[in-house]
Amino acid sequence: MPIIKKIYLDMDGVIADFYHTYQEMFNITMDEIEANRSRKNYWKYWQDFIDNRGFELLPQIRGSEKLLDFLNETKIPVEILSSSGGVHNHEKVKEQKINWLNARNINYIPNIVPGKKNKKLYATPDSLLIDDTEQNILDFREAGGYAIFHKSVEDTIDQLKELLYRWDGVIR
């Protein structure tokens, strides 16, 4: 059975509460956000969010400390794998996300990529991605890695326990 040698952890939607914050800041629903991605208003909001250091100010998702504690207990190296949303604001968003991690003493190596399509480049036969975007999960698996579609802290921990038990014979 394969052994996971590295876990990649997404930020937005897994440990950082991007979606609720974005909705509250701009009084827009997630359905409206998704429907308007290609429209001018979405990108105006996006630029305002970045210019106002939005990624740095996000609250941590309630309960995500439990996931972080569990990951630390596995003794498997964990790194962050998060998207900056594209090349245009990549350096600004990367800085904000690193500041967010540092402010919460989350000391995983940060891999901030210029677009979610780049996450699959980190896939290996012994790596695992935890992400809340289904397309990222599918792409990572197709590229040869393992992936858990994050829906809740409890569900993700249960899936991790199952994988570790299946591969090692014990829950670490």
Side-chain angles (χ1 to χ4, degrees):
M1 284 292 198
I3 295 177
I4 296 300
K5 294 184 181 171
K6 186 168 293 179
I7 297 173
Y8 291 107
L9 182 65
D10 179 39
M11 288 178 67
D12 305 319
V14 178
I15 60 173
D17 195 352
F18 168 77
Y19 301 104
H20 291 107
T21 303
Y22 198 88
Q23 288 174 345
E24 288 176 12
M25 285 178 73
F26 302 112
N27 194 27
I28 185 170
T29 67
M30 281 313 296
D31 288 340
E32 290 172 314
I33 290 170
E34 291 303 321
N36 290 311
R37 273 196 190 261
S38 62
R39 296 195 182 143
K40 188 176 179 181
N41 282 345
Y42 175 82
W43 295 109
K44 177 192 180 300
Y45 294 145
W46 177 252
Q47 194 61 53
D48 287 349
F49 184 78
I50 293 167
D51 290 344
N52 288 302
R53 305 196 69 75
F55 283 103
E56 202 167 314
L57 303 173
L58 296 175
Q60 189 166 340
I61 289 181
R62 188 183 334 239
S64 63
E65 300 87 355
K66 186 176 176 182
L67 175 59
L68 296 170
D69 288 344
F70 183 83
L71 289 171
N72 291 333
E73 289 172 13
T74 68
K75 306 295 185 208
I76 298 169
V78 177
E79 295 184 13
I80 296 296
L81 184 54
S82 186
S83 171
S84 67
V87 295
H88 180 68
N89 286 299
H90 178 70
E91 291 304 318
K92 287 181 184 178
V93 173
K94 180 179 177 180
E95 176 189 357
Q96 290 176 34
K97 288 187 174 207
I98 290 171
N99 289 342
W100 188 92
L101 291 164
N102 290 338
R104 287 153 187 82
N105 295 314
I106 299 172
N107 299 313
Y108 302 141
I109 294 170
N111 301 286
I112 312 300
V113 295
K116 65 183 181 178
K117 67 179 184 273
N118 294 295
K119 289 185 177 187
K120 65 185 174 190
L121 302 175
Y122 287 75
T124 64
D126 58 2
S127 65
L128 170 74
L129 172 66
I130 299 170
D131 200 297
D132 67 318
T133 301
E134 189 171 16
Q135 189 61 52
N136 293 341
I137 297 302
L138 297 171
D139 291 347
F140 203 84
R141 287 177 180 160
E142 186 177 306
Y146 291 89
I148 291 176
F149 183 32
H150 178 82
K151 296 176 187 168
S152 72
V153 168
E154 294 76 17
D155 180 63
T156 296
I157 290 173
D158 287 347
Q159 288 187 62
L160 281 165
K161 284 179 179 177
E162 183 180 324
L163 286 173
L164 295 174
Y165 181 80
R166 188 172 60 207
W167 289 334
D168 295 341
V170 294
I171 296 176
R172 298 193 225 189

